[in-house]
Amino acid sequence: MAPMTSCDDSKFKSLTNSATRDSVHPTFAKRWLEAWKGGAKDDEYIVPASAPASWWSGTKVSSMLVTVGEDEILHDPVISFVETFKRGAGVDILTLVAGKKECHVAPLRHDSDSLREGSQEAGIKTWMTEILK
């Protein structure tokens, strides 16, 4: 759910373009990423969006879901990661749900319209239903 795959605002414009629409500001996202890294240098484990497609070849999962809101700062790096992952691991493994007009915490919020078509929550429910069949 909205994985932090990169905070490179020079490469991914959603980090600045969605700053006023998302519940997470890019300054805090970068601060959290730096705290999590603990001084380590960026690599494919810390910044998955930087990994080449070949890095994902041989992935040991049979199905994976990634969700992101169209209005969140992490939208562009998540989309980049998904495209690269699919090139390396195969398109059938990963399902992407990009919630229409949603921000970072949309699936965790309760509102009366959360299961509407195109929402992250509806996508999660659909994916889980298919996986559990």
Side-chain angles (χ1 to χ4, degrees):
M1 188 180 302
M4 185 174 290
T5 60
S6 177
C7 279
D8 184 350
D9 57 6
S10 67
K11 183 175 180 182
F12 301 111
K13 299 305 174 197
S14 64
L15 282 146
T16 53
N17 293 346
S18 294
T20 59
R21 293 189 301 258
D22 200 354
S23 58
V24 177
H25 193 275
T27 302
F28 295 109
K30 290 177 187 179
R31 193 175 299 160
W32 295 330
L33 179 59
E34 290 304 316
W36 180 73
K37 286 170 41 178
K41 295 191 184 294
D42 288 354
D43 63 15
E44 293 87 349
Y45 294 98
I46 294 172
V47 183
S50 68
S54 60
W55 202 78
W56 302 106
S57 178
T59 296
K60 303 294 184 203
V61 297
S62 59
S63 184
M64 186 165 93
L65 173 68
V66 174
T67 66
V68 67
E70 287 185 345
D71 288 342
E72 76 174 275
I73 61 170
L74 298 177
H75 178 270
D76 294 353
V78 168
I79 298 301
S80 177
F81 159 74
V82 164
E83 291 169 353
T84 303
F85 182 91
K86 284 182 172 186
R87 282 195 312 276
V91 296
D92 296 335
I93 293 173
L94 191 146
T95 299
L96 170 68
V97 175
K100 309 265 187 249
K101 297 183 181 179
E102 291 183 332
C103 66
H104 187 67
V105 297
L108 302 177
R109 261 190 353 246
H110 176 72
D111 61 39
S112 59
D113 201 23
S114 64
L115 286 174
R116 76 185 185 299
E117 185 176 339
S119 73
Q120 294 174 69
E121 189 172 345
I124 292 167
K125 182 179 179 184
T126 299
W127 183 80
M128 288 181 71
T129 301
E130 290 299 316
I131 292 297
L132 297 174
K133 279 186 177 179

